[in-house]
Amino acid sequence: MPDPERPSSPLDEPATAFKQSIDKALDKEAFTEAFEGYLVSTETHQRASKTAQSPVFDEQLGYEVAHFEAEVFEPLAAEDRIKNLDILRGIALVGITLVNTLVFAYPQAYYGPFKFPSLSGLDKAVEWFILVFAKTAFYPLFSFLFGVGLAIQEARGLERFTTPYPFLRRRLFFLLLIGLIHGSFIWMGDILTLYALTGFIFLVLPKKDLKRSFIIVAVCLALAFGGLFAIRLLAGIFPSGLSARLLLNTYADGSFWAISQLKLKDFYYNFVLSAVYALPHVLAFMLLGYSVSQSSLLYIPEAHKLWLKRLILSALAIALVFKSPYVISISLGERSNILRYLAVILGGPALSAAYVGLILLALQNFRWRKLLNPFAPLGRMALSNYIGQSITFTLIYYSYGLGLYGQVSTFKAIMLALALVALQLLISKHWLQHFRYGPLEWLWRSLSYGKKQAFRLR
């Protein structure tokens, strides 16, 4: 309802037009028209912002920002969430869990694929499966979805012609804080810190021009590829002093204090080193997520069946070209850094794109949607579940818990991970029947919005 006390503004008319376009979006057949309306209203706002620079207009715009800020930046209600994104996020979390669990279980990164001494034939087969179908395929998907989420938050701000960027910076700051706590005190393999830092860069980049965005994506991928070579050079100049033997002795038998010291060193050394390639790599997929979010692909995939089929075929072909040579070479006991780097930068992300296409196509089938729907609660609570996995796995593998580090086979580690995922699927579903958000999601939102958010469902 209009506020009679609020002065009129040149932005009122496009704001009304945008609201009408969103109302139309409730009808799937009018979704495309709604997106066009959004783009037109956004362009109108940008033109108005550039041309109307008088003190009176600035004062009115400032009033509008203050008037609408509380209304615009409120968490999405459950019924307003885009379930397809939650399902994708939930499945991505499962893939990341399968990759991470081997790092929790033994010093895989220091031995390399298939090299840990006690691996059986079954263990090597399981590790081969993870290498082919999961490794480097799911964190690009998470990065992509992170970009989509930032785009949605930005659009909600532009809907009322206020600036979303102070809020987004606060949100990223508190994610960075959570990531630093997680990486420093729980598990050295934290990814949240990287997402937060990359997000700050993402906010200042030009994103509206698709052509320019794709050029930036290509540059980021090239920088990431070069960064992998730089890591080898830097690791030689600044050795970490970390080794498989040190990790085995400390995580399996060390004191809590010794483990804490090692985790700090492991986290900060490897974070700084890996950021050389990981930051531009993650940034590339955030930008792709932002660009794709401007279309209806993720929201109404049934309107894009033919395009999705082409995406799947082309992505699988790229994955075959850039990932299979590395997998074959590793299977034959040979190592090639160039093949590995191509698999990381292009092969894994291509496989990720194929997964997105397959999932969006599957969601158009009633039976498949019924099978995939349980991943939505897991995705809605991705932050709580991700940190919860770290706590659970460290209690299983580190000496201050069960002390099983280096003693659990690859097959058993994957079975434990799948059991934990199954448990989290059940807990997430039950939790969201009583609460609006996961516990860490609620904390993150409350800190970001600057006020305590409603938690329990009424």
Side-chain angles (χ1 to χ4, degrees):
M1 178 176 288
D3 187 346
E5 299 292 329
R6 182 169 67 86
S8 61
S9 162
L11 302 178
D12 282 343
E13 185 174 345
T16 303
F18 181 82
K19 182 180 183 303
Q20 291 171 349
S21 81
I22 291 299
D23 291 339
K24 287 183 180 181
L26 295 175
D27 177 3
K28 287 188 176 182
E29 294 181 356
F31 192 95
T32 303
E33 183 181 345
F35 261 89
E36 291 172 354
Y38 162 72
L39 294 175
V40 169
S41 63
T42 301
E43 290 171 4
T44 304
H45 164 55
Q46 291 171 341
R47 287 196 299 271
S49 298
K50 290 178 182 177
T51 58
Q53 296 296 331
S54 68
V56 175
F57 178 78
D58 287 343
E59 181 181 349
Q60 292 178 352
L61 181 57
Y63 185 91
E64 284 200 327
V65 170
H67 180 79
F68 285 116
E69 186 171 14
E71 181 179 349
V72 172
F73 292 112
E74 291 293 334
L76 284 173
E79 62 272 14
D80 295 326
R81 294 183 64 90
I82 300 166
K83 196 169 186 179
N84 289 354
L85 298 182
D86 288 330
I87 291 171
L88 284 168
R89 194 176 293 110
I91 293 172
L93 180 61
V94 175
I96 286 176
T97 305
L98 295 178
V99 174
N100 284 349
T101 192
L102 301 184
V103 183
F104 279 107
Y106 56 87
Q108 188 205 38
Y110 292 86
Y111 280 98
F114 317 126
K115 298 295 184 182
F116 192 63
S118 60
L119 295 183
S120 67
L122 176 60
D123 293 327
K124 290 181 179 179
V126 171
E127 191 169 347
W128 184 88
F129 180 87
I130 298 300
L131 179 68
V132 173
F133 296 105
K135 199 157 189 178
T136 71
F138 287 101
Y139 83 81
L141 176 53
F142 243 120
S143 306
F144 173 87
L145 293 171
F146 198 88
V148 173
L150 289 172
I152 291 172
Q153 292 285 353
E154 181 188 71
R156 292 177 65 213
L158 293 175
E159 176 185 348
R160 291 293 188 174
F161 300 129
T162 186
T163 173
Y165 301 108
F167 166 77
L168 292 176
R169 285 192 290 269
R170 287 199 306 273
R171 189 169 170 82
L172 289 170
F173 170 78
F174 287 113
L175 181 65
L176 175 62
L177 190 61
I178 294 170
L180 288 172
I181 293 170
H182 176 235
S184 300
F185 302 107
I186 302 175
W187 185 52
M188 60 81 191
D190 172 75
I191 195 69
L192 305 175
T193 304
L194 178 64
Y195 283 169
L197 291 175
T198 308
F200 285 115
I201 300 172
F202 171 89
L203 292 182
V204 301
L205 290 177
K207 299 177 286 292
K208 295 295 183 184
D209 186 331
L210 285 180
K211 183 177 179 180
R212 187 181 297 178
S213 290
F214 288 137
I215 291 173
I216 296 174
V217 167
V219 170
C220 285
L221 292 176
L223 288 173
F225 187 70
L228 287 169
F229 287 96
I231 285 175
R232 289 185 62 82
L233 178 64
L234 291 171
I237 299 172
F238 305 103
S240 67
L242 299 170
S243 67
R245 180 53 54 190
L246 176 62
L247 267 63
L248 281 168
N249 291 338
T250 306
Y251 287 143
D253 301 310
S255 66
F256 181 84
W257 175 243
I259 289 174
S260 299
Q261 287 181 306
L262 183 59
K263 279 193 290 190
L264 276 171
K265 183 177 182 179
D266 205 355
F267 170 57
Y268 285 103
Y269 179 84
N270 283 297
F271 174 78
V272 171
L273 208 61
S274 65
V276 174
Y277 97 89
L279 196 150
H281 204 220
V282 166
L283 181 58
F285 297 105
M286 283 187 184
L287 288 167
L288 285 175
Y290 185 96
S291 299
V292 172
S293 73
Q294 307 305 304
S295 74
S296 61
L297 175 67
L298 297 171
Y299 319 112
I300 309 181
E302 55 266 30
H304 303 276
K305 281 187 177 181
L306 181 59
W307 193 91
L308 286 171
K309 291 176 182 178
R310 289 173 178 169
L311 170 67
I312 294 166
L313 291 175
S314 57
L316 286 175
I318 294 171
L320 187 67
V321 169
F322 290 105
K323 191 165 187 177
S324 58
Y326 169 65
V327 173
I328 292 169
S329 68
I330 286 292
S331 301
L332 296 175
E334 299 177 2
R335 285 196 174 191
S336 167
N337 287 328
I338 292 179
L339 291 180
R340 182 165 68 89
Y341 298 164
L342 288 172
V344 169
I345 301 300
L346 297 174
L351 191 58
S352 178
Y355 288 156
V356 171
L358 285 167
I359 293 165
L360 291 177
L361 273 182
L363 288 172
Q364 299 172 41
N365 178 279
F366 175 78
R367 290 181 180 177
W368 275 106
R369 176 171 280 277
K370 191 175 180 180
L371 287 172
L372 295 174
N373 274 340
F375 290 98
L378 190 73
R380 283 181 62 186
M381 291 178 55
L383 179 60
S384 296
N385 285 320
Y386 174 68
I387 302 276
Q389 288 174 2
S390 294
I391 294 171
T392 303
F393 285 138
T394 53
L395 288 174
I396 290 173
Y397 293 112
Y398 292 176
S399 65
Y400 55 71
L402 298 178
L404 297 179
Y405 191 78
Q407 301 177 40
V408 176
S409 68
T410 302
F411 175 74
K412 289 178 181 177
I414 293 297
M415 291 300 103
L416 278 172
L418 291 174
L420 179 58
V421 166
L423 182 61
Q424 288 185 324
L425 284 167
L426 293 174
I427 291 173
S428 298
K429 180 181 178 181
H430 180 75
W431 181 276
L432 292 173
Q433 289 172 351
H434 301 280
F435 298 94
R436 297 173 186 270
Y437 318 105
L440 287 181
E441 284 77 9
W442 173 82
L443 176 63
W444 186 22
R445 281 165 168 76
S446 295
L447 291 170
S448 300
Y449 293 112
K451 61 181 180 180
K452 184 179 178 181
Q453 299 295 303
F455 195 26
R456 282 187 171 274
L457 289 172
R458 292 187 176 87

